[in-house]
């Protein structure tokens, strides 16, 4: 067991404090990054294999992954992210039994949400045509979306499980499941899409199967190894649902506004003249950006757990210090990835498409991709701080202003009015990301962490911490600083 960072050392140097905190963060972030990359690679590999089938198939899968599945993914992930605040702070306060209740409440809400989203999948071809996607592409993407409905409900099952495990720092189990499923998915994708020539049908079968294997693997682990936090299904899952829904909706709006922002780039690009090549090129860049974003998303999960655990335990100084350590670490990695992209911009496009025209367009977009990667190395981390502290509603308003009032109109103006095409659209949207990042930096720097710790204690009591038995007070000192 590690020595508490700030209380039990007489005068630790900044370097030593940073090393201790970095060790705690990487213990969480390393497996979380690996898990995020593996889970994201399920869809990305499907896109890569279909890219070898044809340009239209690649565009259809890209549209479905980015817009339709992206909508479901973003909304359900956001709804499930309420658990990062509640489970993390309850774990920090030693209220272990409440974690299982929170997860079940989240399942009820997310499965109902998935049912509400089902018509979006069923009628997605009409929706895509309505926003300007040309008929042939919209029809094929809409057909693929209907085949991908099982994935939507896998999201609803999986996200609460992930937050339940993350809040207890059981991230290695998630990493093992994700890695094994990715290997299975890669083999089955090659077999069904390339070898058996099943095309989009094979892509849908393998992708749906992969996500449900993730759900079954992680839930099986919970049944065996999480008996303190999981005591079986309970009617308490249906208690205080409306209040839980409100917090879930705030989380959903916050994350959806972020997640959809760059995904909508594909839709806007599809309205350019002769859009097939730009759509394919932009989707490849978004694919790479998504892989890199999984690194920041891993840090997002890690800092959310660290902040919520420390605030739940009442240690404001440790929460504040964790924020600065993870920010420096993530930005450093983002800069390295940006340099790699810029140095290989004439090479990596070949891996994603056999079309020379698409490869050349990707090379042109590489500089914008590099800038986006650098900015996105910090922004998701600060969003993780917001989730850990319970600031979802505030961040939602910031996202609306920066992304949809500033960035998106600027991109449309540059792309269509000034005829800069896909480069102009993307460049304008980068401005929105930069503005949001600056505001989040200011918000984080001005935070009163003692006040946040006090609010975390109130939140644990409000959301059912009093239902925990007396063991909670015994566990508290051990759980918070393991």
């Amino acid at each position: 067991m590690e020595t508490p960072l700030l209380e039990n050392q007489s005068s630790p140097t900044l370097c030593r404090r940073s090393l201790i905190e970095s060790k705690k963060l990487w213990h969480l972030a390393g497996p979380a990054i690996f898990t995020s990359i593996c889970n994201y690679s399920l869809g990305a590999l499907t896109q890569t294999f279909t890219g070898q089938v044809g340009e239209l198939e690649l565009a259809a899968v890209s549209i479905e992954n980015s817009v339709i599945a992206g909508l479901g993914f973003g909304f359900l992930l956001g709804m499930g992210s309420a658990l990062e605040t509640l489970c993390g702070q309850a774990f920090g306060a030693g209220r272990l039994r409440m974690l299982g209740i929170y997860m079940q409440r989240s399942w009820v809400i997310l499965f109902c949400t998935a049912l509400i989203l089902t018509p979006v999948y069923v009628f997605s071809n009409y929706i895509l045509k309505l926003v300007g996607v040309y008929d042939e592409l919209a029809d094929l993407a809409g057909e693929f979306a209907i085949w991908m409905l099982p994935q939507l409900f896998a999201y609803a099952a999986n996200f609460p499980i992930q937050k339940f495990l993350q809040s207890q720092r059981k991230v290695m189990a998630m990493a093992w499941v994700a890695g094994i499923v990715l290997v299975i998915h890669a083999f089955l994708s090659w077999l069904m899409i390339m070898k058996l020539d099943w095309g989009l049908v094979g892509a849908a079968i393998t992708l749906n199967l992969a996500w449900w294997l993730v759900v079954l693997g992680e839930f099986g682990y919970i049944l065996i190894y999480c008996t303190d936090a999981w005591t079986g299904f309970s009617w308490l899952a249906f208690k205080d649902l409306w209040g839980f829904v409100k917090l879930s909706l705030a989380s959903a709006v916050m994350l959806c506004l972020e997640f959809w922002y760059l995904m909508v780039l594909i839709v806007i690009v599809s309205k350019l003249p002769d859009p097939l090549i730009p759509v394919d090129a932009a989707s490849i860049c978004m694919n790479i950006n998504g892989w890199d974003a999984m690194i920041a998303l891993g840090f997002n999960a890690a800092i959310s757990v660290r902040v919520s655990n420390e605030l739940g335990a009442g240690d404001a100084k440790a929460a504040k210090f964790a924020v600065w350590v993870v920010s420096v670490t993530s930005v450093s990695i983002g800069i390295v990835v940006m340099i790699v992209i810029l140095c290989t911009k004439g090479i990596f496009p070949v891996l994603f498409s056999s079309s020379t025209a698409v490869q050349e367009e990707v090379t042109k977009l590489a500089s914008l991709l590099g800038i986006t990667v650098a900015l996105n190395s910090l922004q998701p981390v600060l969003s993780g701080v917001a989730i850990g502290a319970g600031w979802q509603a505030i961040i939602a308003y910031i996202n609306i202003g920066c992304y949809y009032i500033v960035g998106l109109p600027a991109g449309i103006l540059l792309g269509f009015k000034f005829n800069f095409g896909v480069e102009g659209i993307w460049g304008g949207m980068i401005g929105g990301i930069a503005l949001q990042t600056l505001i989040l930096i200011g918000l984080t720097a001005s935070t009163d962490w003692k006040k946040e710790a006090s609010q975390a204690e109130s939140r644990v009591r409000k959301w059912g911490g009093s239902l925990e038995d007396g063991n909670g007070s015994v566990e508290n000192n051990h759980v918070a600083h393991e």
Side-chain angles (χ1 to χ4, degrees), residues 157-231:
N158 177 249
F159 295 146
I161 292 175
Q162 283 192 341
K163 307 311 177 187
F164 174 88
L165 291 171
Q166 283 177 4
S167 65
Q168 300 172 76
R169 310 172 190 177
K170 297 183 182 295
V171 286
M172 280 304 301
M174 295 167 54
W176 275 105
V177 171
I180 292 170
V181 171
L182 180 61
V183 172
I184 295 172
H185 177 65
F187 171 73
L188 290 179
S189 295
W190 169 82
L191 178 65
M192 293 189 181
I193 299 173
M194 306 298 294
K195 193 70 174 177
L196 299 179
D197 197 25
W198 286 10
L200 295 188
V201 175
I205 292 172
T206 57
L207 194 51
N208 285 320
L209 177 63
W211 272 100
W212 276 105
L213 286 175
V214 170
V215 171
L216 294 174
E218 291 179 351
F219 188 62
Y221 176 86
I222 288 173
L223 294 178
I224 298 171
Y225 296 105
C226 298
T227 54
D228 287 339
W230 173 262
T231 56

Side-chain angles (χ1 to χ4, degrees), residues 88-420:
Q89 293 183 359
F91 182 77
R95 309 291 187 178
L96 295 182
R97 284 175 53 195
M98 287 312 302
L99 273 64
I101 303 300
Y102 290 153
M103 181 170 66
Q104 292 174 61
R105 287 178 188 168
S106 189
W107 273 336
V108 172
I109 294 169
L110 264 65
F111 273 104
C112 290
T113 304
L115 285 172
I116 294 171
L117 290 173
T118 295
V120 175
Y121 278 63
V122 174
F123 300 106
S124 58
N125 59 331
Y126 300 106
I127 296 172
L128 291 172
K129 291 175 184 178
L130 188 65
V131 297
V133 178
Y134 69 91
D135 289 358
E136 186 180 9
L137 177 56
D139 287 336
L140 190 57
E143 183 180 357
F144 187 67
I146 293 175
W147 295 336
M148 292 309 302
L149 270 171
Q151 182 192 51
L152 175 66
F153 289 89
Y155 290 159
N158 177 249
F159 295 146
I161 292 175
Q162 283 192 341
K163 307 311 177 187
F164 174 88
L165 291 171
Q166 283 177 4
S167 65
Q168 300 172 76
R169 310 172 190 177
K170 297 183 182 295
V171 286
M172 280 304 301
M174 295 167 54
W176 275 105
V177 171
I180 292 170
V181 171
L182 180 61
V183 172
I184 295 172
H185 177 65
F187 171 73
L188 290 179
S189 295
W190 169 82
L191 178 65
M192 293 189 181
I193 299 173
M194 306 298 294
K195 193 70 174 177
L196 299 179
D197 197 25
W198 286 10
L200 295 188
V201 175
I205 292 172
T206 57
L207 194 51
N208 285 320
L209 177 63
W211 272 100
W212 276 105
L213 286 175
V214 170
V215 171
L216 294 174
E218 291 179 351
F219 188 62
Y221 176 86
I222 288 173
L223 294 178
I224 298 171
Y225 296 105
C226 298
T227 54
D228 287 339
W230 173 262
T231 56
F233 293 97
S234 170
W235 288 109
L236 287 173
F238 296 93
K239 183 179 179 182
D240 296 325
L241 272 180
W242 176 239
F244 207 91
V245 166
K246 289 192 290 186
L247 183 59
S248 296
L249 282 173
S251 299
V253 171
M254 187 198 95
L255 284 183
C256 285
L257 291 173
E258 294 178 4
F259 190 82
W260 293 340
Y261 182 57
L262 282 178
M263 294 300 99
V264 78
L265 172 68
I266 304 296
V267 176
I268 299 173
V269 171
S270 71
K271 304 180 83 168
L272 290 169
D274 300 320
L276 191 57
I277 299 302
V279 165
D280 283 349
S283 67
I284 288 171
C285 289
M286 287 299 99
N287 208 346
I288 295 169
N289 180 65
W291 262 315
D292 174 77
M294 294 305 105
I295 299 175
L297 192 59
F299 283 115
N300 172 293
I303 193 58
S304 177
V305 172
R306 290 289 298 126
V307 168
S308 60
N309 283 180
E310 296 297 353
L311 291 180
D315 195 338
K317 291 183 179 179
K320 180 179 180 179
F321 192 70
V323 171
W324 295 114
V325 172
V326 75
S327 298
V328 171
T329 304
S330 186
V331 169
S332 299
I333 293 174
I335 292 173
V336 171
V337 174
M338 178 185 70
I339 293 171
V340 171
I341 288 173
L342 295 178
C343 291
T344 61
K345 63 182 181 180
I347 301 172
F348 71 80
V350 180
L351 301 175
F352 295 89
S353 177
S354 56
S355 169
T356 303
V358 173
Q359 293 171 12
E360 291 175 352
E361 188 66 29
V362 172
T363 301
K364 292 179 183 177
L365 294 175
S367 297
L368 292 172
L369 175 60
I371 295 171
T372 305
V373 162
L375 285 173
N376 280 346
S377 64
L378 179 60
Q379 182 271 337
V381 169
L382 297 179
S383 294
V385 175
I387 293 171
W391 303 338
Q392 288 93 329
I394 298 173
I395 306 302
Y397 288 115
I398 293 173
N399 289 349
I400 291 173
C402 295
Y403 289 165
Y404 298 95
I405 296 178
V406 176
L408 192 57
I412 293 173
L413 192 65
L414 289 172
F416 292 92
K417 180 67 175 179
F418 294 98
N419 297 317
F420 286 111

Side-chain angles (χ1 to χ4, degrees), residues 11-48:
S11 56
T13 64
L14 179 61
C15 181
R16 177 167 172 76
R17 291 169 62 199
S18 299
L19 287 174
I20 294 173
E21 180 58 40
S22 183
K23 181 180 178 181
K24 290 181 180 180
L25 287 167
W26 276 107
H27 180 74
L28 294 166
I33 290 170
F34 180 79
T35 301
S36 297
I37 289 175
C38 288
N39 288 343
Y40 179 82
S41 295
L42 297 176
L45 273 177
T46 300
Q47 279 190 220
T48 301

Side-chain angles (χ1 to χ4, degrees), residues 410-449:
I412 293 173
L413 192 65
L414 289 172
F416 292 92
K417 180 67 175 179
F418 294 98
N419 297 317
F420 286 111
V422 61
E423 290 91 347
I425 296 169
W426 196 347
M429 295 175 75
I430 285 175
I433 299 173
L435 178 60
Q436 189 243 25
T437 302
L438 288 173
I439 293 174
L440 287 182
I441 290 173
L443 179 64
T444 305
S446 61
T447 295
D448 183 344
W449 289 100

